[in-house]
């Protein structure tokens, strides 16, 4: 009785730590502490679970802890900030395959009733979909496979037939659990479904995919907890699943997409409102010295970071420019689009690494009403999230998507390596606006040249 009470109280404490940690993750100022609090909760849950179970030998458990800890520490230290989206995709995938294996292992050692069989099947299914889908997302993000949508004729019909086959195989396995053929069929079909759900999604929609797969990994863990009757795993999985769904809804709103559209993989459907008008014009280039003269006289500057800033590792130089502008008497703020970069919060993480004050990071809804008051808007490696075609061109694939209206600032500086389109593959009329000037080259180098001009 004493051990049971200790276990239950420890689970309650771990659940409380999870909830407080999740709450703290909602603010950049407390996110690091929230991560530590949540990790402490997981540590308590794992330790008490190991003490609670009748474990004969800890040898393999310790080997797994050492191997997993070593791999995690090495990868975490070596990964660059530009590789964080791929890292998150891998984490989601590993969570999914872990739930799949837990569900599979739950088949052995006891006679499962119908409810337990259903939870085991759900754990295997959701875990398999999460794993293979995350691996495809990782491949797209790391550009090991094409980031363009991969579609073929009859794809929707194929997916419907695939789901029907999964349901049929799951029912047969529930009725005949001694037949491993149905089990292998369920696993294989789940892995195939995960691939089919993600391959038609374009690279520009990856932030939505990452948050959705994060939710799937939580649901898989929750199902695994039900399969092995572990309360804290159910709680942890439910929290991750719910927070992932909420984050997905936020991402969908930022992309002007419905959740049902996301769930049924309609991410990259082109609007049927008509053909996009051809974008014509002449981009006007400028030098770093020219940019300096304008910035030196500016009273207010908004900086809009994008994935190009991550690629150039320019966040520290951006912070240095911010300090010079503030010293010169200018107001400097940052405009953060919810889906800028390749994962939710990507720009926030980069700027936090450069020790940029959280108070200066303004969301899209807060900055757009003020945009006309800024003397200069500096776009650093952002493309689709500042594309005015979302407002002006009904035939555009991103028409209706909320964007940061940088073109309404008095002057717009766009830092890009070339005139190439963004990750979504869509031309940007911002480059040809009368108030836009292009600074071609590496963003870190261009910013460095502007800083030299100030000094």
């Amino acid at each position: 009785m004493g051990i049971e009470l200790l276990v239950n109280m420890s689970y309650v404490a771990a659940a409380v730590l999870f909830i407080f940690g999740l709450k703290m993750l909602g603010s950049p100022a407390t996110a690091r502490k929230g991560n530590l609090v949540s990790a402490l909760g997981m540590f308590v849950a794992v330790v008490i679970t190991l003490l609670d179970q009748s474990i004969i030998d800890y040898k393999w458990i310790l080997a797994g802890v050492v191997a997993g800890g070593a791999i995690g520490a090495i990868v975490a230290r070596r990964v660059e900030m530009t590789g964080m989206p791929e890292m998150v995709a891998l984490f989601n995938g590993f969570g999914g395959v872990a739930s799949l294996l837990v569900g599979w292992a739950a088949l052995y050692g006891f006679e499962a009733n119908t409810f337990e069989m259903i939870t085991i099947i759900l754990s295997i299914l959701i875990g398999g979909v999460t794993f293979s889908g995350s691996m495809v997302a990782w491949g797209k993000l790391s550009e090991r496979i094409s980031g363009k949508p991969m579609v073929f004729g009859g794809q929707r019909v194929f997916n419907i037939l695939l789901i029907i086959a999964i349901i049929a195989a799951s029912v047969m396995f529930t009725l005949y659990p001694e037949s491993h053929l149905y089990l292998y069929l369920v696993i294989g079909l789940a892995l195939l479904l995960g691939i089919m759900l993600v391959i038609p999604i374009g690279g520009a929609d990856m932030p939505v995919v990452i948050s959705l797969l994060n939710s799937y990994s939580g649901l898989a863990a929750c199902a695994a907890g039900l399969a092995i009757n572990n309360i804290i795993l159910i709680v942890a999985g439910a929290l991750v699943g719910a927070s992932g769904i909420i984050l997905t809804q936020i991402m969908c709103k930022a992309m002007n997409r419905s959740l049902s559209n996301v769930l049924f993989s309609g991410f990259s459907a082109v609007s049927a409102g008509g053909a996009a008008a051809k974008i014509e014009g002449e981009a006007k280039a400028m030098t770093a010295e020219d940019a300096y003269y304008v910035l030196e006289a500016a009273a207010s500057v908004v900086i809009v970071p994008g994935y190009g800033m991550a690629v150039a590792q320019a966040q520290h130089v951006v912070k240095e420019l911010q300090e010079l502008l503030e010293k010169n008497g200018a107001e400097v703020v940052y405009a953060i689009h919810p889906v800028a970069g390749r994962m939710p919060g990507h720009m926030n993480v980069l700027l936090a690494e450069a020790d940029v004050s959280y108070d200066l990071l303004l969301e899209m809804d807060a900055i757009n009403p003020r945009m006309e008051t800024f003397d200069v808007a500096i776009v650093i490696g952002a493309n689709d999230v500042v594309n005015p075609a979302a407002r002006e061109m009904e035939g555009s694939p991103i028409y209706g998507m909320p964007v940061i209206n940088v073109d309404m600032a008095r002057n717009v500086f766009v830092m890009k390596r070339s005139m190439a389109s963004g990750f979504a593959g869509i031309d940007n009329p911002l480059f040809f606006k009368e108030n836009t000037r292009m600074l071609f080259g590496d963003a870190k180098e261009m910013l460095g040249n502007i800083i030299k001009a100030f000094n």
Side-chain angles (χ1 to χ4, degrees):
M1 186 67 181
I3 291 293
E4 184 178 352
L5 178 62
L6 175 63
V7 169
N8 289 334
M9 292 301 294
S10 298
Y11 280 169
V12 170
V16 170
L17 289 171
F18 290 156
I19 293 170
F20 274 103
L22 193 60
K23 174 65 176 176
M24 295 169 75
L25 287 171
S27 169
T30 57
R32 290 187 178 182
K33 290 182 180 178
N35 199 32
L36 291 174
V37 169
S38 299
L40 177 61
M42 184 56 69
F43 177 78
V44 171
V46 170
V47 170
I48 204 67
T49 300
L50 291 176
L51 294 177
D52 178 43
Q53 302 299 321
S54 302
I55 298 172
I56 299 174
D57 191 352
Y58 283 89
K59 179 173 59 180
W60 289 108
I61 295 174
L62 291 174
V65 169
V66 171
I71 294 172
I74 292 171
V75 172
R77 289 184 66 86
R78 289 185 177 181
V79 66
E80 297 180 359
M81 293 304 296
T82 52
M84 286 305 297
E86 295 96 299
M87 174 74 89
V88 172
L90 286 176
F91 281 160
N92 288 338
F94 291 158
V97 77
S99 298
L100 185 155
L101 294 173
V102 168
W104 193 345
L107 292 169
Y108 303 96
F110 68 96
E111 192 72 25
N113 56 38
T114 303
F115 175 76
E116 290 168 338
M117 284 300 300
I118 292 174
T119 59
I120 289 171
I121 287 293
L122 286 174
S123 176
I124 292 173
L125 279 176
I126 304 174
V129 169
T130 304
F131 174 67
S132 58
S134 297
M135 292 302 101
V136 175
W138 170 78
K140 284 177 175 281
L141 288 167
S142 60
E143 299 183 354
R144 286 173 169 80
I145 60 177
S146 173
K148 295 181 180 179
M150 301 179 187
V151 295
F152 57 86
Q155 192 165 7
R156 291 182 182 274
V157 175
F158 180 84
N159 286 347
I160 291 172
L161 293 175
L162 180 58
I163 292 171
I164 293 173
I166 288 174
I167 295 173
S170 300
V171 170
M172 293 302 294
F173 180 64
T174 303
L175 296 174
Y176 304 102
E178 68 279 357
S179 175
H180 286 188
L181 174 62
Y182 293 122
L183 171 63
Y184 299 146
L185 189 59
V186 168
I187 294 174
L189 291 174
L191 294 172
L192 179 58
L193 179 61
I195 295 171
M196 295 303 300
L197 288 176
V198 179
I199 60 170
I201 301 170
D205 298 314
M206 280 299 116
V208 186
V209 177
I210 293 296
S211 60
L212 185 59
L213 289 170
N214 179 64
S215 175
Y216 286 172
S217 68
L219 295 175
C222 186
L226 289 168
I228 62 175
N229 195 28
N230 186 282
I231 297 173
I232 196 62
L233 188 55
I234 297 171
V235 171
L239 287 172
V240 174
S243 60
I245 286 291
I246 293 171
L247 183 58
T248 300
Q249 289 180 317
I250 294 172
M251 295 294 105
C252 290
K253 183 180 178 181
M255 300 283 288
N256 194 36
R257 301 182 187 276
S258 66
L259 182 57
S260 61
N261 183 264
V262 173
L263 293 174
F264 293 101
S265 298
F267 288 68
S268 299
V270 177
S271 171
K278 185 177 180 181
I279 299 173
E280 296 180 342
E282 181 179 353
K284 295 172 280 293
M286 73 185 310
T287 65
E289 187 176 358
D290 295 331
Y292 157 71
Y293 288 122
V294 178
L295 289 170
E296 197 270 339
S300 56
V301 178
V302 57
I303 299 172
V304 186
Y307 186 67
M309 186 183 76
V311 173
Q313 298 280 295
Q315 59 268 29
H316 295 282
V317 187
V318 170
K319 171 67 183 304
E320 189 177 349
L321 177 62
Q322 170 209 318
E323 292 174 338
L324 282 173
L325 290 170
E326 289 174 335
K327 187 177 179 181
N328 197 47
E331 175 199 8
V332 183
V333 295
Y334 295 80
I336 308 298
H337 195 284
V339 296
R342 303 288 172 83
M343 69 175 184
H346 197 180
M347 296 302 104
N348 302 69
V349 172
L350 287 170
L351 294 172
E353 185 196 16
D355 203 26
V356 172
S357 174
Y358 305 122
D359 296 333
L360 298 179
L361 308 186
L362 302 183
E363 296 182 359
M364 175 177 58
D365 293 339
I367 201 69
N368 274 344
R370 296 182 52 196
M371 190 58 71
E372 293 181 357
T373 67
F374 285 99
D375 292 325
V376 182
I378 306 176
V379 180
I380 307 174
N383 199 328
D384 302 318
V385 298
V386 295
N387 193 334
R391 299 192 321 268
E392 303 170 348
M393 300 175 64
E394 292 190 14
S396 171
I398 62 170
Y399 181 72
M401 169 182 163
V403 295
I404 298 175
N405 300 327
V406 293
D407 57 307
M408 295 183 180
R410 297 187 181 97
N411 297 280
V412 183
F413 298 165
V414 179
M415 296 185 178
K416 279 179 62 68
R417 292 179 183 274
S418 68
M419 289 291 291
S421 57
F423 207 44
I426 302 167
D427 290 334
N428 194 339
L430 172 68
F431 305 158
F432 310 111
K433 296 279 186 179
E434 281 298 320
N435 60 336
T436 299
R437 297 295 182 270
M438 306 293 296
L439 288 95
F440 294 112
D442 179 77
K444 186 175 182 179
E445 182 180 345
M446 294 300 298
L447 289 165
N449 291 335
I450 295 174
I451 290 170
K452 287 178 183 177
F454 266 98
N455 296 327

